[in-house]
Amino acid sequence: MSANNDVPSKDAWVNLSAAAAGFDTARLQAAIDFSVASECTWPRSMYLSDGQYIGTAHIGDQAEHAEVLGPVVPRGGPNGLVLRHGKLVAEWGDTRHADMTFSVTKSYIGILAGIAVADGLIADLDAPVGQDVDTGWFKGAHNARITWRHLLQQTSEWQGTLWGKPDSADHNRVVGGTASGGEKKGARRELQAPGTHYEYNDVRVNLLAACLTYRFRRSLPDVLKERVMDPIGASDEWRWHAYRNASLELNGKSVPCVPGGGHWGGGMVISSRDHARMGLLISRAGSWGGRQIVAADWVEKMLTPSPALAQYGFLWWLNGAGGKRYPSATERSVFAQGAGASIVWIEPDLDLVVVTRWIAGEAVDGFISQVLAALR
């Protein structure tokens, strides 16, 4: 990650022309035009003509698992930014519009886990979570073996029901991992030993978020605002919605537990400009203008390949381990990524941070290719 301390002040970005940033201006504009022209097919209302919510419909949730539990926010249009050396090189669409961002939210949870470690709330990533979280979620021989590391790497294989959703709702879900073997998504499968099997499972990520809430004794949005978003100059427009049935009684009051995405509604609603600040923070190894917001060694841990899936770290996607996720990107590039698609792309060797929203998934690599080809 870069040691460059150039960062924007709140509401004030330093502009850098495409040419001064090393881009061919026309080719960069062509990449932007390609992104806009490749808008995803999701309805702006977020609901299909038959009334299904796109967040559950697009991944084939079974009917018994498809109930929406959190707010759904109509989406805006394609937009994004290109930053180089901490400066704004290009911008398109309404980058101030706060949109649902789905699983990009998970990468923010990864950051919050690092703050919990720094605060001494998690002493050992390889200790059973049940030693730190006394809620009954980790009873039984199987769940008792689950560690913080397993939850962060999506290898916990936790079994149970949280906020009305069983872990089996996302069994056999294929996102970056091994094939499901032909089994239907949502069909129960035999569980593996914790730490041995990667599965992209929103119930288990929501469990991690709830466990962090328990350790902080505060809502995660409050912690994120105070410890990360305000210090990096984010806007006051982002928000993080909980499910209507998701809360813990802590310190004598009800504290909402937010989810790791918008699968069942809720989740983080945020602008591309705020995403870009987060991406720049990670590209600077957790430092912002000389102040260490997230520990540098935690950023390194987040971006270290997991044993069960080399392209995954602690809720971040990695490009160079075990085959590239996006062939056109460099091997050291990393991504926070959500359905729709929302992408925060960091190219550390080029000191480049790019955000693009509502681009079709199949067009992402072509966009990356064109941006990199525009660099002279």
Side-chain angles (χ1 to χ4, degrees):
M1 296 289 145
S2 172
N4 190 328
N5 281 332
D6 286 344
V7 293
S9 60
K10 187 174 177 67
D11 297 326
W13 293 73
V14 177
N15 292 294
L16 184 66
S17 72
F23 287 95
D24 179 290
T25 302
R27 297 185 75 175
L28 180 59
Q29 186 59 52
I32 293 168
D33 292 344
F34 173 80
S35 181
V36 173
S38 302
E39 181 178 359
C40 74
T41 58
W42 284 21
R44 297 288 178 101
S45 69
M46 305 298 274
Y47 284 92
L48 299 171
S49 58
D50 62 2
Q52 289 189 81
Y53 168 51
I54 189 65
T56 61
H58 87 103
I59 55 175
D61 269 358
Q62 295 190 24
E64 63 266 31
H65 302 146
E67 181 186 6
V68 176
L69 298 176
V72 172
V73 179
R75 74 173 180 90
N79 67 88
L81 308 90
V82 175
L83 309 181
R84 193 156 198 226
H85 308 314
K87 298 178 175 64
L88 181 60
V89 174
E91 188 172 21
W92 63 99
D94 185 357
T95 60
R96 291 179 172 83
H97 179 76
D99 264 322
M100 295 181 73
T101 198
F102 292 84
S103 287
V104 177
T105 309
K106 293 177 173 62
S107 296
Y108 286 89
I109 293 175
I111 291 170
L112 285 167
I115 292 173
V117 169
D119 287 356
L121 302 177
I122 300 173
D124 182 358
L125 291 178
D126 296 308
V129 182
Q131 292 181 4
D132 296 326
V133 179
D134 183 18
T135 58
W137 293 330
F138 297 94
K139 289 182 178 179
H142 179 83
N143 286 348
R145 299 164 58 192
I146 294 169
T147 69
W148 290 101
R149 189 181 303 274
H150 297 154
L151 289 176
L152 284 160
Q153 293 176 337
Q154 296 222 56
T155 61
S156 74
E157 289 284 86
W158 181 80
Q159 184 176 34
T161 297
L162 183 72
W163 318 137
K165 302 293 183 181
D167 67 288
S168 59
D170 269 355
H171 281 195
N172 303 302
R173 184 176 176 184
V174 181
V175 181
T178 56
S180 67
E183 295 296 327
K184 184 178 180 181
K185 181 192 174 298
R188 288 187 179 274
R189 58 168 178 79
E190 183 177 352
L191 296 176
Q192 307 299 310
T196 65
H197 179 77
Y198 166 87
E199 182 174 74
Y200 202 84
N201 189 299
D202 281 323
V203 176
R204 295 169 183 155
V205 173
N206 293 348
L207 174 68
L208 170 59
C211 290
L212 289 172
T213 303
Y214 182 92
R215 294 304 294 155
F216 280 116
R217 319 299 286 182
R218 300 172 61 196
S219 75
L220 296 190
D222 286 350
V223 178
L224 185 68
K225 176 177 172 59
E226 177 186 302
R227 302 293 292 277
V228 179
M229 303 303 275
D230 284 355
I232 67 174
S235 75
D236 297 321
E237 302 304 315
W238 69 273
R239 50 208 185 272
W240 194 350
H241 295 296
Y243 299 153
R244 61 177 177 268
N245 60 342
S247 64
L248 285 170
E249 290 295 319
L250 300 170
N251 303 327
K253 60 183 180 180
S254 179
V255 178
C257 292
V258 289
H263 182 161
W264 292 295
M268 188 173 284
V269 179
I270 190 169
S271 71
S272 291
R273 282 193 159 215
D274 287 342
H275 269 334
R277 288 174 182 270
M278 183 275 288
L280 191 58
L281 174 69
I282 298 306
S283 79
R284 299 289 186 261
S287 177
W288 192 265
R291 176 185 175 187
Q292 201 69 40
I293 304 297
V294 182
D297 65 342
W298 181 258
V299 174
E300 183 179 0
K301 285 183 174 71
M302 280 200 308
L303 306 182
T304 296
S306 301
L309 181 66
Q311 288 187 6
Y312 207 63
F314 287 172
L315 304 177
W316 281 78
W317 290 101
L318 318 177
N319 205 49
K324 286 189 172 184
R325 181 170 179 79
Y326 293 113
S328 296
T330 67
E331 289 190 357
R332 293 218 311 136
S333 64
V334 299
F335 302 87
Q337 184 163 349
S342 292
I343 307 282
V344 181
W345 160 37
I346 301 169
E347 285 279 10
D349 292 336
L350 301 172
D351 200 5
L352 187 68
V353 175
V354 180
V355 178
T356 184
R357 308 289 290 275
W358 307 118
I359 182 174
E362 62 271 17
V364 173
D365 191 64
F367 171 70
I368 290 171
S369 175
Q370 290 194 39
V371 170
L372 295 181
L375 268 175
R376 296 180 297 190

Coordinates of all heavy atoms in Angstrom, one line a residue, residues 105-125 148-149 151-153 208-209 211-213 215-216 220 223-224 227-228 240 294-295 298-299 301-302 314-316:
T105 N -20.6 -3.5 2.0 CA -20.7 -3.3 3.4 C -19.8 -4.3 4.2 O -19.3 -4.0 5.3 CB -22.2 -3.6 3.8 OG1 -23.0 -2.8 3.0 CG2 -22.4 -3.2 5.3
K106 N -19.6 -5.5 3.7 CA -18.8 -6.5 4.4 C -17.4 -6.0 4.6 O -16.8 -6.2 5.7 CB -18.8 -7.8 3.6 CG -20.1 -8.5 3.5 CD -20.0 -9.8 2.6 CE -21.3 -10.6 2.7 NZ -22.5 -9.9 2.2
S107 N -16.8 -5.3 3.7 CA -15.5 -4.8 3.8 C -15.4 -3.7 4.9 O -14.4 -3.6 5.6 CB -15.0 -4.2 2.5 OG -14.9 -5.2 1.5
Y108 N -16.5 -3.0 5.1 CA -16.5 -2.1 6.3 C -16.5 -2.8 7.6 O -15.9 -2.4 8.6 CB -17.7 -1.1 6.2 CG -17.6 -0.1 5.2 CD1 -18.0 -0.3 3.8 CD2 -17.1 1.2 5.5 CE1 -18.0 0.7 2.9 CE2 -17.1 2.2 4.5 CZ -17.5 2.0 3.2 OH -17.4 3.0 2.3
I109 N -17.2 -4.0 7.6 CA -17.2 -4.8 8.8 C -15.8 -5.4 9.1 O -15.4 -5.4 10.2 CB -18.2 -6.0 8.6 CG1 -19.6 -5.5 8.6 CG2 -18.0 -7.0 9.8 CD1 -20.7 -6.5 8.3
G110 N -15.1 -5.7 8.0 CA -13.7 -6.1 8.2 C -12.9 -5.0 8.9 O -12.0 -5.3 9.8
I111 N -13.1 -3.7 8.5 CA -12.4 -2.6 9.1 C -12.8 -2.5 10.6 O -11.9 -2.3 11.5 CB -12.7 -1.3 8.4 CG1 -12.1 -1.3 7.0 CG2 -12.2 -0.1 9.1 CD1 -12.5 -0.2 6.1
L112 N -14.1 -2.6 10.9 CA -14.5 -2.5 12.3 C -13.9 -3.7 13.1 O -13.6 -3.5 14.3 CB -16.0 -2.6 12.3 CG -16.7 -1.3 11.9 CD1 -18.2 -1.5 11.6 CD2 -16.5 -0.2 12.9
A113 N -13.8 -4.8 12.6 CA -13.2 -5.9 13.3 C -11.7 -5.5 13.7 O -11.3 -5.9 14.8 CB -13.2 -7.2 12.5
G114 N -11.0 -4.9 12.8 CA -9.7 -4.4 13.2 C -9.7 -3.4 14.3 O -8.8 -3.4 15.1
I115 N -10.7 -2.5 14.4 CA -10.8 -1.6 15.5 C -11.1 -2.3 16.8 O -10.5 -2.0 17.8 CB -11.9 -0.5 15.1 CG1 -11.4 0.4 14.0 CG2 -12.2 0.3 16.3 CD1 -12.4 1.3 13.4
A116 N -11.9 -3.3 16.7 CA -12.2 -4.1 17.9 C -10.9 -4.8 18.4 O -10.7 -4.9 19.6 CB -13.3 -5.2 17.6
V117 N -10.1 -5.3 17.5 CA -8.8 -5.9 17.9 C -7.9 -4.8 18.5 O -7.3 -5.0 19.6 CB -8.1 -6.5 16.7 CG1 -6.7 -6.9 17.0 CG2 -8.9 -7.8 16.2
A118 N -7.8 -3.7 17.9 CA -7.0 -2.6 18.5 C -7.5 -2.1 19.8 O -6.6 -1.8 20.7 CB -7.0 -1.4 17.5
D119 N -8.8 -2.2 20.1 CA -9.3 -1.8 21.4 C -9.2 -2.9 22.4 O -9.7 -2.7 23.6 CB -10.8 -1.4 21.2 CG -11.0 -0.1 20.5 OD1 -9.9 0.6 20.2 OD2 -12.1 0.3 20.2
G120 N -8.7 -4.0 22.1 CA -8.6 -5.1 23.0 C -9.9 -5.9 23.2 O -10.0 -6.7 24.1
L121 N -10.9 -5.6 22.4 CA -12.2 -6.3 22.5 C -12.1 -7.7 21.9 O -13.0 -8.6 22.2 CB -13.3 -5.5 21.8 CG -13.5 -4.1 22.3 CD1 -14.5 -3.3 21.5 CD2 -13.8 -4.1 23.8
I122 N -11.2 -8.0 21.0 CA -10.9 -9.3 20.5 C -9.4 -9.5 20.7 O -8.6 -8.9 20.1 CB -11.2 -9.4 19.0 CG1 -12.7 -9.1 18.7 CG2 -10.8 -10.8 18.5 CD1 -13.0 -9.1 17.2
A123 N -9.1 -10.4 21.7 CA -7.7 -10.6 22.1 C -7.0 -11.6 21.1 O -5.8 -11.5 21.0 CB -7.6 -11.1 23.5
D124 N -7.7 -12.5 20.6 CA -7.1 -13.6 19.8 C -8.1 -14.0 18.7 O -9.1 -14.5 18.9 CB -6.8 -14.8 20.7 CG -6.1 -15.9 20.0 OD1 -5.9 -15.8 18.8 OD2 -5.8 -16.9 20.7
L125 N -7.6 -13.8 17.4 CA -8.5 -14.1 16.3 C -8.8 -15.6 16.2 O -9.8 -16.0 15.6 CB -7.9 -13.7 15.0 CG -7.8 -12.2 14.7 CD1 -7.1 -11.9 13.4 CD2 -9.2 -11.5 14.7
W148 N -13.0 -16.2 15.5 CA -13.2 -14.9 14.8 C -12.6 -15.0 13.4 O -13.2 -14.4 12.5 CB -12.5 -13.8 15.6 CG -13.1 -13.4 16.9 CD1 -12.8 -13.8 18.2 CD2 -14.3 -12.6 17.1 NE1 -13.6 -13.3 19.1 CE2 -14.6 -12.5 18.5 CE3 -15.1 -11.9 16.2 CZ2 -15.6 -11.8 19.0 CZ3 -16.2 -11.2 16.7 CH2 -16.4 -11.1 18.1
R149 N -11.5 -15.6 13.3 CA -10.9 -15.8 12.0 C -11.8 -16.5 11.0 O -11.9 -16.1 9.8 CB -9.5 -16.5 12.0 CG -8.7 -16.5 10.7 CD -7.4 -17.3 10.9 NE -6.6 -16.8 12.0 CZ -5.7 -15.7 11.8 NH1 -5.6 -15.1 10.7 NH2 -5.0 -15.3 12.9
L151 N -15.1 -16.5 11.0 CA -16.1 -15.6 10.6 C -15.6 -14.6 9.6 O -16.4 -14.3 8.6 CB -16.7 -14.9 11.9 CG -17.6 -15.8 12.8 CD1 -18.0 -15.0 14.0 CD2 -18.8 -16.3 12.1
L152 N -14.5 -14.1 9.8 CA -13.9 -13.1 8.9 C -13.6 -13.6 7.5 O -13.6 -12.9 6.5 CB -12.7 -12.5 9.5 CG -12.9 -11.5 10.7 CD1 -11.7 -11.3 11.5 CD2 -13.4 -10.1 10.1
Q153 N -13.3 -14.9 7.5 CA -12.9 -15.5 6.2 C -14.1 -16.3 5.5 O -13.9 -16.9 4.5 CB -11.7 -16.5 6.4 CG -10.4 -15.8 6.8 CD -9.3 -16.7 7.1 OE1 -9.5 -17.9 7.4 NE2 -8.1 -16.3 6.9
L208 N -21.4 -12.3 12.4 CA -20.2 -11.6 12.8 C -20.5 -10.1 13.2 O -20.0 -9.6 14.2 CB -19.2 -11.6 11.6 CG -18.0 -10.7 11.7 CD1 -17.1 -11.0 12.9 CD2 -17.1 -10.7 10.4
A209 N -21.4 -9.5 12.4 CA -21.7 -8.1 12.7 C -22.4 -8.0 14.1 O -22.1 -7.1 14.9 CB -22.7 -7.5 11.6
C211 N -21.9 -10.1 16.6 CA -20.9 -10.4 17.6 C -20.0 -9.1 17.8 O -19.7 -8.8 19.0 CB -20.0 -11.5 17.1 SG -20.8 -13.1 17.2
L212 N -19.7 -8.4 16.8 CA -19.0 -7.1 17.0 C -19.8 -6.1 17.8 O -19.3 -5.4 18.6 CB -18.5 -6.6 15.6 CG -17.4 -7.4 14.9 CD1 -17.3 -6.8 13.5 CD2 -16.1 -7.3 15.7
T213 N -21.1 -6.1 17.5 CA -22.0 -5.2 18.2 C -22.0 -5.6 19.7 O -21.9 -4.7 20.6 CB -23.4 -5.3 17.7 OG1 -23.4 -5.0 16.3 CG2 -24.4 -4.4 18.4
R215 N -19.5 -7.0 21.3 CA -18.3 -6.6 21.9 C -18.1 -5.1 22.1 O -17.6 -4.6 23.1 CB -17.1 -7.1 21.1 CG -17.0 -8.7 21.0 CD -16.9 -9.3 22.4 NE -15.6 -8.9 23.1 CZ -15.5 -8.9 24.4 NH1 -16.5 -9.1 25.2 NH2 -14.3 -8.5 24.9
F216 N -18.5 -4.3 21.1 CA -18.5 -2.8 21.2 C -19.5 -2.3 22.2 O -19.3 -1.2 22.8 CB -18.7 -2.2 19.9 CG -17.5 -2.2 19.0 CD1 -17.5 -2.9 17.8 CD2 -16.4 -1.4 19.3 CE1 -16.4 -2.8 16.9 CE2 -15.3 -1.4 18.4 CZ -15.3 -2.1 17.2
L220 N -22.9 -0.7 15.3 CA -21.7 -0.6 14.4 C -21.7 0.8 13.6 O -20.7 1.3 13.4 CB -21.7 -1.7 13.4 CG -21.4 -3.1 14.1 CD1 -21.1 -4.2 13.0 CD2 -20.3 -3.1 15.1
V223 N -20.0 3.3 15.8 CA -18.6 3.1 15.9 C -17.9 3.5 14.6 O -16.9 4.2 14.6 CB -18.3 1.6 16.3 CG1 -16.8 1.4 16.3 CG2 -18.9 1.2 17.6
L224 N -18.5 3.1 13.5 CA -17.9 3.5 12.2 C -17.8 5.0 12.0 O -16.8 5.5 11.5 CB -18.7 2.8 11.1 CG -18.1 3.0 9.7 CD1 -16.8 2.2 9.5 CD2 -19.1 2.5 8.6
R227 N -15.1 6.4 14.5 CA -13.7 6.0 14.4 C -13.2 6.0 13.0 O -11.9 6.0 12.9 CB -13.6 4.5 15.0 CG -14.1 4.4 16.4 CD -13.2 5.1 17.4 NE -11.9 4.4 17.5 CZ -11.6 3.4 18.2 NH1 -12.5 2.9 19.0 NH2 -10.4 2.8 18.2
V228 N -14.0 6.0 12.0 CA -13.6 6.0 10.6 C -14.1 7.1 9.8 O -13.4 7.9 9.2 CB -13.9 4.6 10.0 CG1 -13.4 4.6 8.5 CG2 -13.2 3.5 10.8
W240 N -26.7 3.2 7.7 CA -26.6 1.7 7.8 C -27.8 1.2 8.5 O -27.9 1.3 9.7 CB -25.3 1.4 8.5 CG -24.8 0.0 8.3 CD1 -25.5 -1.1 7.8 CD2 -23.5 -0.5 8.7 NE1 -24.7 -2.2 7.8 CE2 -23.5 -1.9 8.4 CE3 -22.4 0.1 9.4 CZ2 -22.4 -2.7 8.7 CZ3 -21.3 -0.7 9.6 CH2 -21.3 -2.1 9.3
V294 N -6.8 3.1 11.0 CA -6.9 1.6 11.1 C -5.4 1.1 11.1 O -4.6 1.6 10.4 CB -7.6 1.0 9.9 CG1 -7.7 -0.6 10.1 CG2 -9.0 1.6 9.8
A295 N -5.1 0.2 12.0 CA -3.8 -0.3 12.2 C -3.3 -0.9 10.9 O -3.9 -1.6 10.2 CB -3.7 -1.3 13.3
W298 N -3.3 -4.5 10.6 CA -4.7 -5.1 10.4 C -5.0 -5.0 8.9 O -5.6 -5.9 8.3 CB -5.7 -4.3 11.2 CG -7.1 -5.0 10.9 CD1 -8.1 -4.5 10.2 CD2 -7.5 -6.2 11.4 NE1 -9.2 -5.4 10.1 CE2 -8.8 -6.4 10.9 CE3 -7.0 -7.2 12.3 CZ2 -9.6 -7.6 11.2 CZ3 -7.7 -8.3 12.6 CH2 -9.0 -8.5 12.0
V299 N -4.7 -3.9 8.2 CA -5.0 -3.8 6.8 C -4.2 -4.9 6.1 O -4.8 -5.6 5.2 CB -4.5 -2.4 6.2 CG1 -4.6 -2.4 4.7 CG2 -5.4 -1.3 6.8
K301 N -3.5 -7.8 7.3 CA -4.2 -9.1 7.6 C -5.5 -9.2 6.8 O -5.8 -10.3 6.3 CB -4.6 -9.1 9.1 CG -3.4 -9.5 10.1 CD -3.9 -9.5 11.5 CE -2.9 -10.0 12.5 NZ -1.8 -9.0 12.7
M302 N -6.2 -8.1 6.6 CA -7.4 -8.1 5.9 C -7.2 -8.5 4.4 O -8.0 -9.2 3.8 CB -8.1 -6.7 5.8 CG -8.9 -6.3 7.0 SD -10.1 -5.0 6.7 CE -9.0 -3.8 6.0
F314 N -10.0 -11.0 4.8 CA -11.0 -10.7 5.8 C -12.1 -9.8 5.2 O -12.1 -8.6 5.3 CB -10.4 -10.0 7.0 CG -9.5 -10.9 7.9 CD1 -8.8 -10.4 8.9 CD2 -9.5 -12.3 7.7 CE1 -8.0 -11.1 9.7 CE2 -8.6 -13.1 8.5 CZ -7.9 -12.5 9.5
L315 N -13.1 -10.4 4.4 CA -14.2 -9.7 3.8 C -13.8 -8.8 2.7 O -14.5 -7.8 2.4 CB -15.0 -9.0 4.9 CG -15.5 -9.9 6.0 CD1 -16.3 -9.1 7.1 CD2 -16.4 -11.0 5.5
W316 N -12.6 -9.0 2.2 CA -12.1 -8.3 1.0 C -11.7 -9.3 -0.1 O -11.2 -10.4 0.2 CB -10.9 -7.4 1.3 CG -11.2 -6.1 2.0 CD1 -11.5 -5.9 3.3 CD2 -11.2 -4.8 1.4 NE1 -11.7 -4.6 3.6 CE2 -11.6 -3.9 2.4 CE3 -11.0 -4.4 0.1 CZ2 -11.7 -2.5 2.2 CZ3 -11.1 -3.0 -0.1 CH2 -11.4 -2.1 0.9

